[in-house]
């Protein structure tokens, strides 16, 4: 007997909640991927969520520990441990062109990033990059006043530090 499971990444969200038209904080490419390749339920809710690759796991050999993946359990039969999804960074870069794969037995390699969609709905791509190290395309991220920049997506403020650097140019001339 086959038991199909319906994975739930978020119980009420619909793809248009993360449309870039709603906020510059939302990734146009993630929205495209969710529309083209994601599973949304008729009465609301999406199957996909974000997972982190566990250290010393099978997927860690392929992607490195800590890599973020988006997808859901494949769920074709009871006890199925396959994962269906893509690398989150590939989705952010390539949108709907990022292919979705079935990774055999990969659910053992993954842990759910708790509350991913709830924080994405609040602060958009800052939920993916809380350190503010990435340079995302699409959507103005900062407003700068003097030495302080304010993240327009999550409100975090950063102080600019300028470190002086001395450069010597060496040349040789006849005596
Ligand atoms: Zn931010």
């Amino acid at each position: 007997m086959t038991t199909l499971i319906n994975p739930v990444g978020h119980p009420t969200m619909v793809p248009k909640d993360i449309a870039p038209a709603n906020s510059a904080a939302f990734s146009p490419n993630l929205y495209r991927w969710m529309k083209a390749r994601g599973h949304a339920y008729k009465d609301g809710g999406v199957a996909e969520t974000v997972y982190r690759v566990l250290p010393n796991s099978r997927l860690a050999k392929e992607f490195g520990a800590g890599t973020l993946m988006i997808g859901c359990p494949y769920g074709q039969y009871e006890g199925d441990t396959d994962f269906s999804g893509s690398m989150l960074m590939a989705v952010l870069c390539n949108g709907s062109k990022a292919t979705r794969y079935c990774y055999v037995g990969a659910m053992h390699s993954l842990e759910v990033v708790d509350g991913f969609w709830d924080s994405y709905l609040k602060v958009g791509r800052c939920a993916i990059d809380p350190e503010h190290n990435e340079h995302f395309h699409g959507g103005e991220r900062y407003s700068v006043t003097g030495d302080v920049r304010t993240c327009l997506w999550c409100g975090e403020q950063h102080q600019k530090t300028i470190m002086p650097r001395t450069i010597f140019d060496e040349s040789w001339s006849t005596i």
Side-chain angles (χ1 to χ4, degrees), residues 86-107:
S86 304
M87 228 171 87
L88 182 59
M89 274 301 157
V91 169
L92 294 173
C93 294
N94 303 315
S96 55
K97 291 196 282 294
T99 315
R100 197 174 177 134
Y101 292 103
C102 177
Y103 296 94
V104 175
M107 289 311 297

Side-chain angles (χ1 to χ4, degrees), residues 126 132 141 151 153-156:
C126 294
H132 294 80
R141 194 175 189 185
C151 179
W153 302 347
C154 73
E156 201 174 279

Side-chain angles (χ1 to χ4, degrees), residues 59-137:
L59 280 192
K61 289 193 190 86
E62 197 173 336
F63 297 109
T67 299
L68 298 177
M69 309 288 292
I70 184 165
C72 59
Y74 199 66
Q76 290 299 294
Y77 51 88
E78 202 177 326
D80 187 354
T81 56
D82 297 352
F83 170 74
S84 164
S86 304
M87 228 171 87
L88 182 59
M89 274 301 157
V91 169
L92 294 173
C93 294
N94 303 315
S96 55
K97 291 196 282 294
T99 315
R100 197 174 177 134
Y101 292 103
C102 177
Y103 296 94
V104 175
M107 289 311 297
H108 292 306
S109 297
L110 297 167
E111 64 176 354
V112 171
V113 174
D114 282 326
F116 173 77
W117 286 124
D118 285 327
S119 65
Y120 189 80
L121 288 163
K122 279 194 207 103
V123 299
R125 283 170 279 181
C126 294
I128 299 163
D129 175 39
E131 295 84 15
H132 294 80
N133 288 331
E134 300 285 343
H135 296 279
F136 294 114
H137 292 292

Side-chain angles (χ1 to χ4, degrees), residues 21-93:
N22 298 335
S23 162
F26 294 144
S27 160
N29 278 337
L30 179 55
Y31 176 57
R32 286 185 196 115
W33 188 89
M34 283 295 285
K35 275 201 307 178
R37 299 189 184 272
H39 301 97
Y41 297 113
K42 201 156 50 83
D43 300 322
V46 294
E48 280 70 28
T49 194
V50 170
Y51 294 81
R52 194 179 295 112
V53 173
L54 291 165
N56 307 314
S57 64
R58 197 192 310 181
L59 280 192
K61 289 193 190 86
E62 197 173 336
F63 297 109
T67 299
L68 298 177
M69 309 288 292
I70 184 165
C72 59
Y74 199 66
Q76 290 299 294
Y77 51 88
E78 202 177 326
D80 187 354
T81 56
D82 297 352
F83 170 74
S84 164
S86 304
M87 228 171 87
L88 182 59
M89 274 301 157
V91 169
L92 294 173
C93 294

Side-chain angles (χ1 to χ4, degrees), residues 168-172:
F168 296 99
D169 288 318
E170 187 179 278
S171 64
W172 299 79

